[in-house]
Amino acid sequence: MAEIIVTGGAGFIGANFVHHWRRVSPDDTIIVLDALTYAGNAANLDGLDQVELVVGDICDTDLVLRLLRERGVATIVHFAAESHVDRSITGPDAFVTTNVIGTHSLLKAAKTVWLDEGSGKPHRFHHVSTDEVYGSLGPEDPAFSETTAYAPNSPYSASKAGSDHLVRAYHHTYGLETTTSNCSNNYGPFQFPEKLIPLFTLNALSGKNLPIYGDGMNVRDWLHVEDHCLGIELILRKGRIGETYNVGGGQELPNLAVIEEVCKAVDAAFLRDPSLAVRFPAAPAAQGRSSLELKTFVTDRKGHDRRYAIDETKIRSELGYAPARDFPQGFAETLHWFLEREDWWKPLVERAKIAR
Ligand SMILES: NC(=O)c1ccc[n+]([C@@H]2O[C@H](COP(=O)([O-])OP(=O)(O)OC[C@H]3O[C@@H](n4cnc5c(N)ncnc54)[C@H](O)[C@@H]3O)[C@@H](O)[C@H]2O)c1
């Protein structure tokens, strides 16, 4: 039995990871350190045993020191971040504070307890990062590998790049036992409604526009969050210390194709289940029309990266990683979850508006 700290474990990917870790390591105690910002939600952890929520800021080094010392924690899985690119354009300060200074605060505390105070035990600091640190690809460029040069373009990706460099430096300079993963766009249960997939899904259900930036041809690789959690588990169990692993879903799609898949799945769900028309009367699908009629082109995001793609050869060949779902299957599961969990997302739609 071990105790692990999951920072940002009340957010989207962190909460999915806590659920995943609870299943695969039932004896561990999981300490979630989360500041519960607009994106954090204690309800994401409902029903889990041996999960302790500590509401606090990763910038609070004394708090992290206390947790590490008092609880004998030897593993930190670090998800906590400001994560929404659009918000980083209008308000970059919080991104630098949490993503750069917050990550440094965790590294400092981990170094103090694990190295300077010298337990001598193996330890692990796993840092969760993004493919956005690599910048933007042209249509024919090879996908991002772990050796692609960093070229972040938004305040969000620049702050994540800064945090990646600090993790690297703490390994190379002090010997802290770190790993880093850079993943593509996640989707799945518990995703805050401001992000593209839940936004499109919930807008299709409520008859609101589906806003598409620019010409809709920005390409992303889509990764179901459960496949991402599996990748992180493999890195924690078998990854080499000091290494970085790219984690992708193998599903490169332009936004227009994403919206078409979302609309197709929503329309099909209404055809299969007539009660949806009663629950969501404003949806075009409730009147037998296509959700695609809600598609609306809006002014492009400033500095919008054109294409991201992930070369996941390293994690596949070294650790045996393989995503279990393609996008249609992963989205079908996600839609099913959102239809079942209106109690979860309804209050958050209001919160997403207020937080904007
Ligand atoms: N969502 C994606 O598609 C994606 C893709 C690549 C990488 N990532 C990375 O994965 C991680 C998790 O992303 P997410 O989508 O779950 O984010 P999220 O915004 O849903 O959740 C972030 C969580 O961190 C918490 N938090 C924020 N600031 C904090 C602070 N100062 N101290 C403690 N907790 C704080 C929030 O309360 C929230 O629970 C992030 O590091 C993000 O950069 C996300």
Side-chain angles (χ1 to χ4, degrees):
M1 186 182 119
E3 305 216 9
I4 77 167
I5 290 180
V6 178
T7 73
F12 161 47
I13 307 176
N16 277 280
F17 179 79
V18 173
H19 282 261
H20 178 90
W21 199 254
R22 181 68 306 133
R23 282 195 299 277
V24 298
S25 287
D27 295 333
D28 286 359
T29 295
I30 305 172
I31 301 166
V32 170
L33 173 58
D34 197 298
L36 296 184
T37 67
Y38 78 95
N41 187 351
N44 294 355
L45 304 171
D46 281 353
L48 291 173
D49 292 332
Q50 266 175 264
V51 173
E52 209 177 295
L53 173 62
V54 176
V55 179
D57 194 320
I58 56 169
C59 296
D60 182 350
T61 314
D62 288 338
L63 169 64
V64 183
L65 281 169
R66 239 185 359 260
L67 286 174
L68 290 175
R69 284 186 185 126
E70 286 171 10
R71 307 296 296 266
V73 173
T75 305
I76 295 176
V77 189
H78 175 35
F79 294 92
E82 288 292 336
S83 69
H84 192 43
V85 178
D86 288 343
R87 287 174 191 270
S88 83
I89 294 167
T90 51
D93 298 64
F95 287 71
V96 174
T97 303
T98 289
N99 300 359
V100 182
I101 297 172
T103 300
H104 188 235
S105 158
L106 293 171
L107 288 165
K108 268 192 306 186
K111 172 184 172 287
T112 302
V113 176
W114 292 342
L115 299 180
D116 304 343
E117 294 172 1
S119 68
K121 283 195 297 194
H123 56 264
R124 179 70 71 89
F125 186 102
H126 180 73
H127 174 56
V128 178
S129 190
T130 169
D131 60 357
E132 301 193 26
V133 298
Y134 299 120
S136 183
L137 294 170
E140 306 304 328
D141 289 337
F144 301 131
S145 79
E146 291 78 0
T147 56
T148 302
Y150 273 35
N153 289 322
S154 70
Y156 164 65
S157 53
S159 67
K160 291 299 289 186
S163 65
D164 294 9
H165 292 323
L166 285 165
V167 173
R168 179 189 159 88
Y170 267 68
H171 171 67
H172 283 272
T173 306
Y174 305 113
L176 196 72
E177 296 180 1
T178 64
T179 41
T180 295
S181 50
N182 293 80
C183 69
S184 55
N185 277 38
N186 285 226
Y187 65 97
F190 298 120
Q191 189 166 28
F192 194 69
E194 68 185 352
K195 299 278 171 68
L196 189 128
I197 300 280
L199 180 82
F200 281 2
T201 307
L202 301 183
N203 281 10
L205 294 178
S206 55
K208 294 193 187 128
N209 285 341
L210 308 179
I212 303 176
Y213 281 135
D215 63 1
M217 292 309 288
N218 297 72
V219 173
R220 299 291 182 262
D221 172 72
W222 290 94
L223 170 64
H224 190 278
V225 67
E226 181 54 26
D227 287 326
H228 182 195
C229 291
L230 179 67
I232 296 172
E233 183 197 344
L234 288 170
I235 296 168
L236 286 171
R237 294 199 196 281
K238 303 197 281 182
R240 283 183 295 135
I241 300 300
E243 291 291 319
T244 286
Y245 294 89
N246 283 354
V247 188
Q251 300 291 299
E252 238 191 275
L253 294 169
N255 285 343
L256 277 179
V258 170
I259 199 174
E260 275 166 22
E261 185 58 44
V262 168
C263 290
K264 193 171 87 179
V266 169
D267 294 349
F270 276 72
L271 279 178
R272 273 196 311 274
D273 178 358
S275 76
L276 291 179
V278 180
R279 284 173 62 198
F280 305 107
Q287 279 96 48
R289 302 196 311 272
S290 167
S291 306
L292 269 176
E293 72 180 44
L294 299 170
K295 187 169 81 176
T296 314
F297 290 93
V298 299
T299 310
D300 208 353
R301 169 193 277 168
K302 282 194 178 86
H304 201 177
D305 286 338
R306 193 66 177 166
R307 174 176 165 242
Y308 304 141
I310 286 261
D311 175 350
E312 57 191 27
T313 309
K314 182 172 173 182
I315 191 169
R316 274 183 188 270
S317 58
E318 275 189 25
L319 309 182
Y321 168 78
R325 307 152 178 83
D326 61 12
F327 185 70
Q329 186 190 340
F331 181 68
E333 288 174 24
T334 305
L335 175 61
H336 180 75
W337 188 89
F338 273 89
L339 290 172
E340 297 275 300
R341 292 302 309 271
E342 195 177 349
D343 64 309
W344 179 87
W345 56 259
K346 206 143 200 187
L348 296 188
V349 172
E350 285 312 306
R351 209 206 287 183
K353 274 191 223 139
I354 292 161
R356 257 169 213 282

